Amino acid sequence: MPLASTLRMAALALFWGSGFLWIKLALTHGLTPVQITIARCALGTAVLLLLARRSGQRLPRGRTTWLHLVVAALFCNALPFALFALGEQRVDSGLAGVLNATTPLWSLLIGLALGTDRGAHPIRLAGLALGFAGTVLIFAPWQQEGLFGGPALALLAAAASYAVAFAHMARHLAVREAPLAMSAAQLLTATAWTTLALPAAGPLRPDPVGLLAVTALGVLGTGLTFYLNYRLIADEGATAAATVGYLLPVVSVALGALVLDEHLGARALAGMTVVLVGVALTRGRGTAPGPAGRRTAGRVPGRADGTVAEPADGTVARRAHGPAVGHAHGPAAGRDAGPSAAPPAGLSAAPLTAPPAATAAGDVRTRHALG
């Protein structure tokens, strides 16, 4: 991999994985969950609008598209962003990053429930069971000091919300031009959703650290990450970009330990390992026929069926679902159409505003910029 792509991947993993740290810092320095969510969406929107304008891309005009964006923005941005901020009031940032990695497991589960993943391979089903077993190990409900409770469940709900969004986006927003503009439109809609909660935002009393943290979260962790992921998929393909998904929990845990002095016990670390192994198994190449009876060409985290048809020329039709943040979450099937790791906060060619480990499909022949 060229040095530029390697550096881009490292920056993407750092920005995406650090989102949980910025949330925790903002919470402990005067900002409420609602304030963080609104600021994150608004700042991410500003970055994406600038990138879209620079690329000559225009916001969508169709009424139907905007209606689908309203749903995507709620489940892929406004709701999970708020749930992560609520959950991190009592849960460490490192653990939040680990639980975010369960998004692909929820995506597969939803696909099985809806019948869009009828031909799931036994290995993927084993990965699903293993991933959720790792989650149970992290929660340890059998222990008095276990994490099973409202805040941690909010984090799991956020990961599941990403999966719901990806299923909707794969069906209704899968084939779109101007991915940067679509992502900006989605985050703009998410900003509108979050402003509805302004009456519950509370007094605004952030200190300089809190302001810096929420700015980094919106600009770097929600806006710039889409651009970086977009470029990485363009240059190296989706498989390389998807690898970032496996780095996010590691980054979030490392930053939590180094900056916030957080500590994950042996049980939680073992659970994290089991979750990532399970996610890896569910993201492997499918061997069962896809919904249209064809063989799967590669896993794509944001699609309900996880497949994408691979053109004869080896390229992938341009497709972008909306923002992925991160987070917001992940990559789409690219030219090397390999296994796609989880997200998400964040984001990738498909839900441009979702987390990497959770990113949806968004194939781009000429690649891109994500944020």
Side-chain angles (χ1 to χ4, degrees):
M1 183 181 297
L3 178 60
S5 294
T6 301
L7 294 176
R8 192 173 291 128
M9 177 181 287
L12 182 59
L14 178 61
F15 292 159
W16 254 335
S18 66
F20 307 100
L21 169 66
W22 301 127
I23 292 173
K24 177 65 78 172
L25 286 173
L27 286 170
T28 55
H29 287 273
L31 288 166
T32 66
V34 172
Q35 292 166 356
I36 293 171
T37 305
I38 295 174
R40 178 179 188 178
C41 289
L43 290 169
T45 299
V47 172
L48 288 174
L49 284 173
L50 288 173
L51 291 172
R53 181 178 178 82
R54 179 184 176 189
S55 301
Q57 299 180 15
R58 297 182 178 180
L59 295 178
R61 296 182 179 180
R63 180 171 178 269
T64 301
T65 298
W66 279 99
L67 289 176
H68 289 310
L69 284 173
V70 167
V71 177
L74 175 62
F75 289 101
C76 192
N77 305 114
L79 184 58
F81 288 1
L83 288 173
F84 273 116
L86 286 169
E88 284 197 52
Q89 287 182 307
R90 294 181 56 190
V91 175
D92 287 348
S93 65
L95 184 60
V98 173
L99 295 178
N100 175 69
T102 63
T103 296
L105 306 178
W106 294 108
S107 293
L108 176 56
L109 193 62
I110 290 173
L112 294 172
L114 296 179
T116 56
D117 220 321
R118 292 186 293 272
H121 190 274
I123 292 180
R124 293 180 59 220
L125 295 178
L128 180 66
L130 191 63
F132 282 117
T135 304
V136 172
L137 183 60
I138 292 172
F139 278 114
W142 58 85
Q143 291 187 1
Q144 188 174 1
E145 68 274 16
L147 295 168
F148 200 77
L153 290 179
L155 298 175
L156 272 186
S161 181
Y162 281 133
V164 172
F166 297 160
H168 174 82
M169 294 160 80
R171 176 167 299 188
H172 300 290
L173 294 171
V175 182
R176 290 286 183 274
E177 295 295 327
L180 288 171
M182 284 292 292
S183 298
Q186 184 171 317
L187 268 184
L188 182 63
T189 308
T191 303
W193 270 117
T194 58
T195 54
L196 296 177
L198 267 177
L204 188 62
R205 299 171 180 167
D207 61 20
V209 174
L211 290 175
L212 178 62
V214 78
T215 300
L217 177 64
V219 174
L220 301 179
T222 308
L224 190 59
T225 50
F226 173 74
Y227 174 80
L228 291 174
N229 194 56
Y230 183 60
R231 286 295 307 276
L232 187 61
I233 296 176
D235 296 340
E236 301 300 329
T239 301
T243 305
V244 176
Y246 293 100
L247 301 177
L248 301 190
V250 178
V251 172
S252 68
V253 169
L255 289 177
L258 292 173
V259 180
L260 302 175
D261 199 27
E262 295 176 349
H263 173 70
L264 279 184
R267 187 195 71 249
L269 288 173
M272 178 181 76
T273 303
V274 173
V275 166
L276 292 179
V277 171
V279 167
L281 292 176
T282 65
R283 305 259 58 87
R285 287 182 180 274
T287 57
R294 64 181 179 273
R295 306 289 286 185
T296 60
R299 298 294 310 165
V300 182
R303 294 187 54 174
D305 61 359
T307 63
V308 59
E310 189 171 3
D313 63 357
T315 63
V316 184
R318 186 165 188 170
R319 176 185 337 222
H321 304 169
V325 339
H327 290 174
H329 345 274
R335 58 173 178 260
D336 52 351
S340 231
L347 323 246
S348 112
L352 306 178
T353 40
T359 0
D363 329 346
V364 188
R365 177 170 297 149
T366 349
R367 264 54 166 51
H368 43 250
L370 163 98

